[in-house]
Amino acid sequence: DPLKRVAIVGSGNWGSTIAKIIGNNIVKFNTFENEVRMYVYEEMVDGRKLTEIINEEHENTKYLPGHKFTPNIVAYADVVETVKDADILLFILPHQFVERTCNAIKSHVKPGAFAVSFSKGFYVGKDNTVELLSTAITRLLEIPCYVVMGANIASEVASGTFCEATVGARNYEHGQMVKGLLQTEEFRIVIKPDTEVIEVLGALKNIVAVAAGFSDGLGYGDNTKAAVIRLGLKEMVKFCEEFFPGHHPHIFLESCGVADLVTTCYGGRNRKVAAAFVKTGKDIKTLEAEMLNGQKLQGPDAAAEVKEWLKEKGQANKFPLFTAVHDICERRIEPTALIDALRYHPEFW
Ligand code: NAD
Ligand code: 13P
């Protein structure tokens, strides 16, 4: 069989971390081409093109400074060139950019290829229909799409401190390929078949992390944050049961569930910016630009997407934490109203 080619679509904080891992791992297999192309949304960094910096210094000095890639990671500014010969397409973009990137490569994907989405969020179509990103990728590219989700603050994963992730795949062979590309001694991978729920949990926990950040910003303590996490988890479980029934009940105990929720509510960007939103009174977009140096928030947009989803299904009143997060981000209600959403939660009726 010809060697399989892997392409990485995206090169932000998490995309670069995955590139670092895969660049090292891939040379251990005799089934994969060693060269991995990585799509870089071109920009100038210190007067140089980011693709040039990556290809010359083997480092993404903007989004993952201090970590070297192996030289088999090759940066491309042209997304079609990146993916056209690839058998495995890893989508690691902020979720807001997934659809337009798929449209750009639509008729250039190799037959028989498959995709893997690492992005956390939903896709809202023009008629306000809401879709999973993996579903949108499959629809647009006509290839299967699996997912990777987990408690994975990128800088920690890149540093090699121990953690784990969940691969969602019902195709055994493809799931094993993804696991082989990702797993190291310090990054342990579990494959589970509940792909949809695994993806949904990754998107929803960012909304809860925004709520945790509001709680921190308001100066409330650990008990309140624990209540945010618990009630948030209840809504995550309810959302999955309501809209994606049939999953294994223990899926919430995997890295993609409770573990990702906890790490993001303590160490994530969503939490950090949401706390600053309360403390400074500045809006989310301003803080994202001021605090994240080009990195993107996923939680506030996911809250808007979920609100749309719940509106369409007539179920918004069952998810007061999710909906309060959106209303607070939009300044329709005060941050303190988060506590009312918790106080009068259906849990206590
Ligand atoms: P990031 O937050 O670092 O985002 C910046 C990236 O977006 C840069 O590569 C930038 O070039 C790119 N970009 C900006 N405008 C663009 C455009 N118009 N089109 C295409 N790309 C554009 O990204 P990330 O941290 O790699 O996150 C990607 C996904 O992975 C997200 O959905 C996130 O939730 C998920 N994720 C992130 C982490 C983490 O700790 N960073 C961990 C797990 C999962
Ligand atoms: P943030 O986007 O809030 O940093 O969360 C990163 C993440 O998804 C950790 O698994």
Side-chain angles (χ1 to χ4, degrees):
D1 282 358
L3 298 178
K4 294 208 179 295
R5 289 195 72 102
V6 177
I8 302 178
V9 181
S11 52
N13 192 226
W14 188 221
S16 298
T17 299
I18 293 297
K20 182 184 180 191
I21 292 174
I22 289 183
N24 266 304
N25 267 357
I26 204 162
V27 298
K28 299 176 197 154
F29 295 93
N30 55 16
T31 45
F32 290 110
E33 192 71 59
N34 281 351
E35 185 193 89
V36 176
R37 293 183 181 179
M38 176 169 75
Y39 166 59
V40 175
Y41 183 78
E42 192 70 284
E43 64 184 287
M44 299 303 283
V45 178
D46 300 330
R48 291 166 73 194
K49 287 182 174 169
L50 184 54
T51 48
E52 264 172 40
I53 297 177
I54 293 173
N55 290 333
E56 284 163 21
E57 326 282 335
H58 307 295
E59 181 177 334
N60 188 338
T61 53
K62 177 156 181 189
Y63 294 104
L64 192 65
H67 295 274
K68 291 287 177 193
F69 300 126
T70 46
N72 56 334
I73 299 294
V74 184
Y76 281 74
D78 181 335
V79 70
V80 171
E81 280 303 310
T82 313
V83 302
K84 68 173 192 212
D85 299 321
D87 302 281
I88 304 178
L89 283 65
L90 308 178
F91 283 90
I92 323 184
L93 294 161
H95 81 278
Q96 295 87 344
F97 308 130
V98 170
E99 189 227 0
R100 69 182 81 158
T101 308
C102 283
N103 279 326
I105 61 177
K106 220 167 183 172
S107 47
H108 304 280
V109 174
K110 191 174 164 183
F114 71 83
V116 185
S117 173
F118 293 67
S119 299
K120 294 173 176 174
F122 300 95
Y123 167 67
V124 182
K126 288 184 184 59
D127 49 358
N128 289 341
T129 51
V130 188
E131 226 178 5
L132 299 188
L133 293 172
S134 62
T135 311
I137 292 171
T138 292
R139 177 173 53 76
L140 292 164
L141 303 182
E142 300 180 14
I143 56 176
C145 184
Y146 312 104
V147 300
V148 176
M149 301 283 141
N152 302 139
I153 304 275
S155 57
E156 296 180 23
V157 183
S159 303
T161 47
F162 181 85
C163 65
E164 34 167 16
T166 315
V167 169
R170 284 192 275 273
N171 178 308
Y172 178 83
E173 192 196 346
H174 290 170
Q176 289 296 331
M177 272 192 232
V178 176
K179 177 172 178 165
L181 287 167
L182 295 177
Q183 184 159 270
T184 70
E185 287 293 292
E186 309 306 334
F187 187 38
R188 309 305 288 168
I189 306 294
V190 176
I191 307 173
K192 292 286 170 185
D194 302 304
T195 325
E196 295 81 4
V197 165
I198 292 167
E199 181 175 355
V200 167
L201 291 172
L204 294 180
K205 63 87 193 175
N206 283 334
I207 306 174
V208 184
V210 172
F214 292 154
S215 176
D216 286 349
L218 288 163
Y220 299 141
D222 291 336
N223 293 342
T224 310
K225 190 142 128 186
V228 168
I229 293 173
R230 185 188 87 87
L231 292 165
L233 182 59
K234 279 278 189 164
E235 292 192 14
M236 289 163 64
V237 171
K238 185 163 188 62
F239 192 96
C240 293
E241 285 173 348
E242 199 79 42
F243 306 118
F244 298 91
H247 54 271
H248 195 286
H250 289 177
I251 193 67
F252 306 107
L253 305 180
E254 296 298 323
S255 184
C256 60
V258 79
D260 197 8
L261 177 62
V262 169
T263 199
T264 311
C265 287
Y266 284 88
R269 300 167 294 189
N270 286 291
R271 185 218 69 88
K272 187 167 120 185
V273 173
F277 174 88
V278 175
K279 284 189 179 147
T280 65
K282 295 181 184 176
D283 64 35
I284 297 276
K285 280 283 160 220
T286 305
L287 291 166
E288 178 182 63
E290 283 180 6
M291 297 173 72
L292 298 185
N293 189 32
Q295 294 184 36
K296 299 287 174 205
L297 288 177
Q298 305 290 274
D301 280 5
E305 291 145 15
V306 160
K307 184 93 189 253
E308 201 57 50
W309 181 307
L310 294 171
K311 211 167 74 189
E312 187 196 319
K313 311 272 183 199
Q315 304 254 33
N317 60 333
K318 293 187 188 161
F319 300 87
L321 186 149
F322 292 165
T323 51
V325 166
H326 178 60
D327 291 341
I328 294 167
C329 289
E330 298 285 303
R331 296 197 187 286
R332 270 186 232 123
I333 56 176
E334 289 295 314
T336 47
L338 174 70
I339 304 305
D340 294 327
L342 304 184
R343 183 178 289 119
Y344 302 115
H345 200 278
E347 274 290 292
F348 306 113
W349 294 355

